[in-house]
């Protein structure tokens, strides 16, 4: 429930109203006597900044399509390309290169790595076609396509899941009832 705003009472009301949760026994009692609200702490948290953060933002300015990689691979073992780029720039600067040269070299290495991955996959597809087999799935797919593939199951599920259809039917009935109440009991519509 952490994605919703409000306290426990407000969140539970929203879930019950949206038919996502059965009304708990304690809800009516808690509505009559709501819990006390305590003030939040006054001090603000300091923002954590790492030495490579400046280079990560510069990387995203050069390669905005790679912003999506961070969001999906945040818990993975391989660091995102932006961090690798920034670490490489810092490493080159430690070895005596100036900032511009270090960024150019790191960018060139990043582009060469991406190009190498694309060539390797193209070669894999070519070999599979020569052998008469189906090409393997792309080991370096677009992050947006990965997210869409994960969501595809849920998108299709909404049309066939009986529970989802039941909720949609209930919402339609509630809306029709609300429209009848507004018009004074007369049903005008489809």
């Amino acid at each position: 429930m952490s994605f919703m705003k409000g306290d426990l009472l407000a969140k539970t009301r929203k879930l019950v109203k949206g038919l996502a949760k059965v009304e708990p026994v304690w809800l009516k009692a808690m509505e009559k006597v709501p819990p006390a609200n305590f003030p939040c702490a006054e001090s603000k948290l300091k923002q954590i900044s790492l030495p490579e953060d400046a280079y990560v933002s510069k990387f995203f300015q050069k390669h905005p399509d790679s912003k999506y990689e961070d969001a999906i691979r945040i818990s993975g073992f391989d660091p995102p390309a932006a961090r690798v780029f920034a670490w490489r720039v810092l490493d080159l600067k430690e070895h005596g290169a100036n900032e511009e040269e270090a960024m150019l070299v790191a960018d060139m290495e990043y582009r060469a790595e991406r190009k190498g991955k694309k060539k390797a996959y193209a070669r894999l597809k070519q070999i599979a076609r020569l052998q008469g087999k189906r090409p393997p799935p792309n080991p370096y797919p677009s992050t947006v396509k990965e997210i869409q593939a994960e969501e595809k199951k849920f998108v299709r599920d909404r049309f066939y899941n009986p529970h989802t259809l039941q909720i949609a039917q209930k919402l339609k009935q509630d809306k029709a009832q609300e429209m009848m109440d507004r018009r004074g009991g007369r049903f005008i519509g489809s």
Side-chain angles (χ1 to χ4, degrees), residues 157-176:
D157 187 46
R158 69 179 177 189
F159 296 113
Y160 303 110
N161 186 346
H163 183 67
T164 308
L165 294 174
Q166 183 182 12
I167 291 172
Q169 188 64 32
K170 173 80 170 121
L171 290 172
K172 284 181 186 177
Q173 289 173 354
D174 289 349
K175 187 175 179 181

Side-chain angles (χ1 to χ4, degrees), residues 25-90:
V25 178
W26 50 263
L27 184 64
K28 289 186 180 172
M30 195 171 187
E31 285 174 341
K32 289 180 184 175
V33 184
N37 288 334
F38 297 102
C40 295
E42 294 294 324
S43 63
K44 288 199 171 194
L45 298 175
K46 294 179 184 175
Q47 185 174 1
I48 299 172
S49 62
L50 300 172
E52 69 261 17
D53 285 347
Y55 300 112
V56 168
S57 63
K58 288 179 183 179
F59 177 82
F60 284 141
Q61 287 174 353
K62 274 190 175 182
H63 307 284
D65 57 321
S66 64
K67 279 187 178 181
Y68 303 106
E69 292 177 17
D70 259 348
I72 195 165
R73 293 195 172 75
I74 197 161
S75 63
F77 292 107
D78 297 329
R83 292 277 169 209
V84 174
F85 171 84
W87 294 335
R88 183 67 178 140
V89 170
L90 289 174

Side-chain angles (χ1 to χ4, degrees), residues 87-97 101-102 105-106 109:
W87 294 335
R88 183 67 178 140
V89 170
L90 289 174
D91 185 42
L92 290 169
K93 280 180 67 175
E94 280 181 15
H95 286 47
E101 291 173 353
V105 169
E109 289 174 357

